[in-house]
Amino acid sequence: MKDLGWDRMDVILVTGDSYIDHPCIGVSVIGHVLLDAGLRVGIIAQPETASDRAIARFGEPVLFWGVTAGSLDSMVANYTAMKKRRKHDDYTPGGINNRRPDRATIVYSNLIRRFFKDTSPIVLGGIEASLRRIAHYDFWSNKVRRSILFDAKADILVYGMGEGTVLELARCLEAGQGIHDIPGICYISKDMPCSGIELPSFDRAAGDKQAFCEMFQLFYENIGMHAEPMFQAHNTRYLVQTPPRAPLTPKELDRVYSMGFERDQHPFYSKEGKVSALETIRFSITSHRGCYGECSFCSIALHQGRTVVSRSEQSILNEARGFTRHHGFKGIISDVGGPTANMYNIECRQKGLNGGCRSRRCLYPTVCEGLRVDHSAQIHLLKSLRELPGIRKVFVASGIRYDMVMADKRHGQRYLKELVRYHVSGQMKIAPEHTEDRVLRYMGKPGKDDLIAFKDLFYRFTRLDAKKQFLTYYLIAAHPGCTLEDMRRLRSFAHTHLKTTPEQVQIFTPLPSTLSCVMYYTETDPSSGKKLFVEKDGAKRLKQKDMVVRS
């Protein structure tokens, strides 16, 4: 601050991760966007909560505090699916899980209130805030909790990918203008709004599982583009959610990724130890945002959105060229992708016109014909990357949707050939999650036919290139609707058709505000209203996993 001639910060961002200056880290992206707009920005990472030593380091901001739990929901970061405390944290210096508090968004917001009484507005953001912005079931306390905005005693919640929203918020606060019409926020009101969709109240949702399902259905139908405002009573006050902000345009996305990230841990925190997450992401490239998959258990649709926005090839190549000037670069790009790697530059006309279909998903039960699956742009991108001077190897480590590969009759096989020949680091990750049709239906995942066809194709191309490469299958145990017998059948299928004993098997964790979480809590299929088997006994959930990995 002294070197820059700043006497005060305009914005102070507080995060549950160590400060990693990288475009994969949300708080770093928001910091760069605000700095690029001419604002004075400071970041406080993993502040101690027993005193004001860390939180008061920069004093009080002129415009607002921004608070995030970090790259993960803090309860997911701190606990396993068996509710055991995690010993390691990839985003904490030294890797020891001793710096991120449970419910970090609430803790940090209350920490600010403790030491700065009548302070600048507190703004919540990040994935923990997005997933907990309305009344939600919390797996770790086994109860329905109210919107995180109330427990954090904050002023505003920014949901989704917040660059545009945070920038508009900062400009409105700077100009002394009203903020309650900004897209992509939640706020608390004493008065019931005059318009918008009213969700069942917190009290109703917490006391009646049918009302909880009704609340979720209304909420989930209104998370896409062109959605309506929503509000929900919490005792005598109302949570109000404005309609979502449109995703960044490709040009705007290109600008964000050109903002000069250091791709390193800040030296103030690096002296406390390395963060292992950095080694995975340091020389990775995000080619696009959003996901068409909309899997029932996944939080991406709620946070990044169901519309895919891709960067220009030139922007990505420029980023890769920048790697060659980095002192730590050894010529290897560890990943090029997004939530799903092979959605790059694949667009849906319907989403661009009206925000997409409410009546069906893009990839379930089959790939929608309107999606125009075409891998040619990614084939060209990967070829261009590996031909750059100073680039030795380009890997695609993000998972790919094998059903999309099989649906692309013109370029799908050529795309897979390219991956097998040039872009696989020993193993390719795919995520069938299960193999039983009934369980897959609850998950919103494709059936077995595409999996078998893709597996056969992958190994045929691998043999032709005389490679030693393998498929790694990610699977989920104890998802709602899944029985021990379903896991036994999965094991048999894996042995017979996949010729493997799966190792990457996770026990299902109900993430707040996801469809699978609703199934878990209500033991109901919201689409049909029918009762659903849900394994909630911890020992039996573990037994489902062991049925596969210990066979």
Side-chain angles (χ1 to χ4, degrees), residues 479-496:
H479 186 275
C482 180
T483 65
L484 187 64
E485 177 61 19
D486 290 322
M487 297 304 292
R488 187 193 67 76
R489 290 173 179 167
L490 186 158
R491 179 188 67 183
S492 176
F493 180 92
H495 288 175
T496 303

Side-chain angles (χ1 to χ4, degrees), residues 149-161:
L149 198 52
F150 289 89
D151 288 338
K153 300 180 178 64
D155 300 283
I156 298 291
L157 184 153
V158 172
Y159 66 89
M161 306 299 279

Side-chain angles (χ1 to χ4, degrees), residues 208-348:
D208 181 350
K209 291 185 177 181
Q210 186 174 347
F212 188 92
C213 284
E214 179 188 341
M215 175 200 73
F216 176 80
Q217 289 292 96
L218 287 169
F219 169 72
Y220 201 75
E221 288 170 2
N222 278 275
I223 61 173
M225 291 170 61
H226 312 301
E228 299 179 53
M230 291 185 284
F231 61 93
Q232 182 179 43
H234 282 63
N235 199 357
T236 60
R237 296 183 291 171
Y238 293 88
L239 173 79
V240 183
Q241 176 176 302
T242 64
R245 179 175 292 274
L248 296 182
T249 65
K251 187 176 181 180
E252 290 170 333
L253 201 58
D254 285 353
R255 179 166 177 79
V256 168
Y257 284 90
S258 69
M259 288 184 176
F261 296 87
E262 294 290 338
R263 296 184 177 269
D264 210 341
Q265 186 181 10
H266 192 285
F268 182 87
Y269 300 100
S270 62
K271 63 188 179 186
E272 300 172 5
K274 294 182 179 180
V275 286
S276 56
L278 181 59
E279 301 313 309
T280 304
I281 65 173
R282 190 194 297 270
F283 297 114
S284 66
I285 295 177
T286 300
S287 57
H288 59 282
R289 285 184 180 175
C291 184
Y292 294 124
E294 207 174 335
C295 301
S296 303
F297 48 81
C298 183
S299 61
I300 291 170
L302 290 157
H303 187 59
Q304 287 203 20
R306 297 179 287 193
T307 299
V308 172
V309 180
S310 300
R311 296 167 59 189
S312 69
E313 181 175 298
Q314 192 59 51
S315 168
I316 293 170
L317 294 176
N318 287 342
E319 184 175 351
R321 290 187 186 101
F323 290 177
T324 63
R325 297 187 293 272
H326 193 286
H327 63 89
F329 187 59
K330 301 291 193 287
I332 298 173
I333 297 176
S334 61
D335 186 27
V336 181
T340 302
N342 61 321
M343 291 184 185
Y344 176 71
N345 212 35
I346 293 175
E347 299 173 350
C348 170

